[in-house]
Amino acid sequence: MLYFNALTSVSNELIIDASNSEVVIALLHDKRLVELNREKTNSQFAVGDIYLGRVRKVMPGLNAAFVDVGYEKDAFLHYFDLGPQVMSLNKFVRMTVTGKQKHAALTYFKNEPEINKDGKIGDVLQPDQHVLIQIAKEPISTKGPRITSELSIAGRYIVLIPFSEKVSVSQKIKSSEERERLKRLIMSIKPKNFGVIVRTVAEGKGVADLDADMNDLVNKWNTCFQELIKAKPPQRVLGELNRTSAILRDMLNNSFNAIHVNDGHMHDEIKMYLQTIAPDKEKILKQHKGTQPIFEHFGIDRQIKALFGKTVTMKSGAYLIIEHTEALHVIDVNSGNRSKLHSDQESNALDVNMEAAVEIARQLRLRDMGGIIVIDFIDMHSPNNRKALYTKLRDEMKLDRAKHTILPPSKFGLVQITRERVRPETNIETAEKCPTCGGSGQVQASVLLIDQIENNLRYVLREQNEKKVTLRVHPYIAAFITKGWLTSLRWKWMRRYKRPISVKPVSSYQFLEYHFFNAQDDEIKV
């Protein structure tokens, strides 16, 4: 779980930009962007989704199988990802599909023996067999989804695991008395043949909260069962929460003081979800109704432009160079003009490296970089300084929800990190096209831009009969169009077409970029 210092001076906000095609979620910590999540509104194969798939091929040499789950490439299922209770799961699927399993409850279901850890995939799966699997990694690049048949259904306080009896408590709960209390409580309320993992956020919670969460997860299992009865592979039988709700479920705690969303429908959805998981937090949800785009209003667009490029500059003048290869990510730390502040090279190197450790931890979360990351810090001769840097980096990475491992600096000053990757890396192009040639190498006459805007405006108002139009353009163009107030181009257009026309400057737009929006703030395609 992600925990922040809950001091009143610390601000944690969630900014949600919802549109017809996607939802973009920004997490701000003290007004600084630390996470950016994008979710397509029609996204499939999200981490946590449960599918009924069909085994396409069994590969004894890889000790794995390829499973058709409906994606263009078959999903990969390794023997180690089957889970010890896979024979029980296969039996449950077989009995449900044939009508022999009448109920979702596992009270009277007889589990099969656990599989051998060193067994063979051919002893468990056969071609054309129907299997119930869960998405463990979304499709990335040319690879299909990575899947597992060790199912788990995550809730606010607990995770429910079918075909198991094991109860475990998060290691982050340090108090042995609290761990024992939670374990006893869960043992008293959990249904038979279901295992439970107690999450960190359950610390201090009473039986009512945990029982409500348990009932919600059991109901999800019932939904999965009902879908499985009529499912034909490949088919999704249980969808994970959308990304917004999943982030709220995993991260919401007392240190959050604001959630801003620009869409009324999304606002109502989040409000209902908050009423379910944290009614006391409902008052922090606010709908952004300003004329300025929500990311522009909160300064997120500016931060994105500054943070996603190849070069990331820090306050002191030092900077990072971030390069991506097929096999790994490389980050180089440079002192820049920072080196002039100290005559002592070792002290200067330590200061720059400490500042870089904070920014690197932020960048890994922000870009969701996974796999192998190699960081070339500035060389330091003192073992104590190298140890201090290693400790600082580990402390900063504690805020990262992704599983990761950090190795101490090598004798060459390199630090290696492995970080879990379950989704494609967030990659935003920050370099803009040339404002005069649009990347073509040929210059468009900028004097014709206003004529072009007016021609499209005439089409929108007369041909499409829009009653009200908002024109969003670069601030320089907006200033030119509105200059002079009653003698401005905007007023001339309003008198000519007898319709209200608003002009809104958007600093993230390219110089000659413009878009029209209707009264409902939906973009008008021209």
Side-chain angles (χ1 to χ4, degrees), residues 1 3 156-157 169-173 182 198-204:
M1 295 298 296
Y3 275 90
R156 171 78 169 140
Y157 303 115
V169 181
S170 168
Q171 295 294 326
K172 292 183 180 179
I173 299 177
L182 288 170
V198 182
R199 307 182 77 168
T200 310
V201 75
E203 187 172 9

Side-chain angles (χ1 to χ4, degrees), residues 191-211:
K192 186 180 179 183
N193 269 347
F194 283 95
V196 173
I197 299 172
V198 182
R199 307 182 77 168
T200 310
V201 75
E203 187 172 9
K205 298 298 178 183
V207 65
D209 291 325
L210 298 180
D211 190 50

Side-chain angles (χ1 to χ4, degrees), residues 153-206:
I153 307 174
R156 171 78 169 140
Y157 303 115
I158 61 175
V159 179
L160 194 66
I161 303 173
F163 312 106
S164 174
E165 288 288 353
K166 185 178 179 182
V167 175
S168 58
V169 181
S170 168
Q171 295 294 326
K172 292 183 180 179
I173 299 177
K174 302 300 182 184
S175 168
S176 57
E177 293 83 2
E178 176 64 5
R179 292 168 59 84
E180 190 58 35
R181 181 190 75 87
L182 288 170
K183 194 167 185 176
R184 286 198 310 270
L185 199 157
I186 292 296
M187 289 295 290
S188 67
I189 63 174
K190 82 171 190 68
K192 186 180 179 183
N193 269 347
F194 283 95
V196 173
I197 299 172
V198 182
R199 307 182 77 168
T200 310
V201 75
E203 187 172 9
K205 298 298 178 183

Side-chain angles (χ1 to χ4, degrees), residues 360-411:
I360 287 168
R362 177 191 184 193
Q363 288 288 330
L364 296 187
R365 289 172 60 196
L366 190 60
R367 303 184 187 217
D368 205 7
M369 293 163 63
I372 301 172
I373 301 110
V374 178
I375 307 164
D376 183 12
F377 285 102
I378 298 173
D379 289 342
M380 296 185 295
H381 302 292
S382 168
N384 290 335
N385 287 345
R386 289 198 294 268
K387 183 178 180 181
L389 172 62
Y390 178 56
T391 303
K392 177 69 171 177
L393 186 58
R394 285 202 310 176
D395 289 344
E396 292 295 326
M397 290 289 290
K398 284 179 181 177
L399 296 176
D400 198 334
R401 290 177 293 133
K403 295 178 182 177
H404 58 270
T405 303
I406 308 173
L407 297 182
S410 70
K411 65 179 181 178

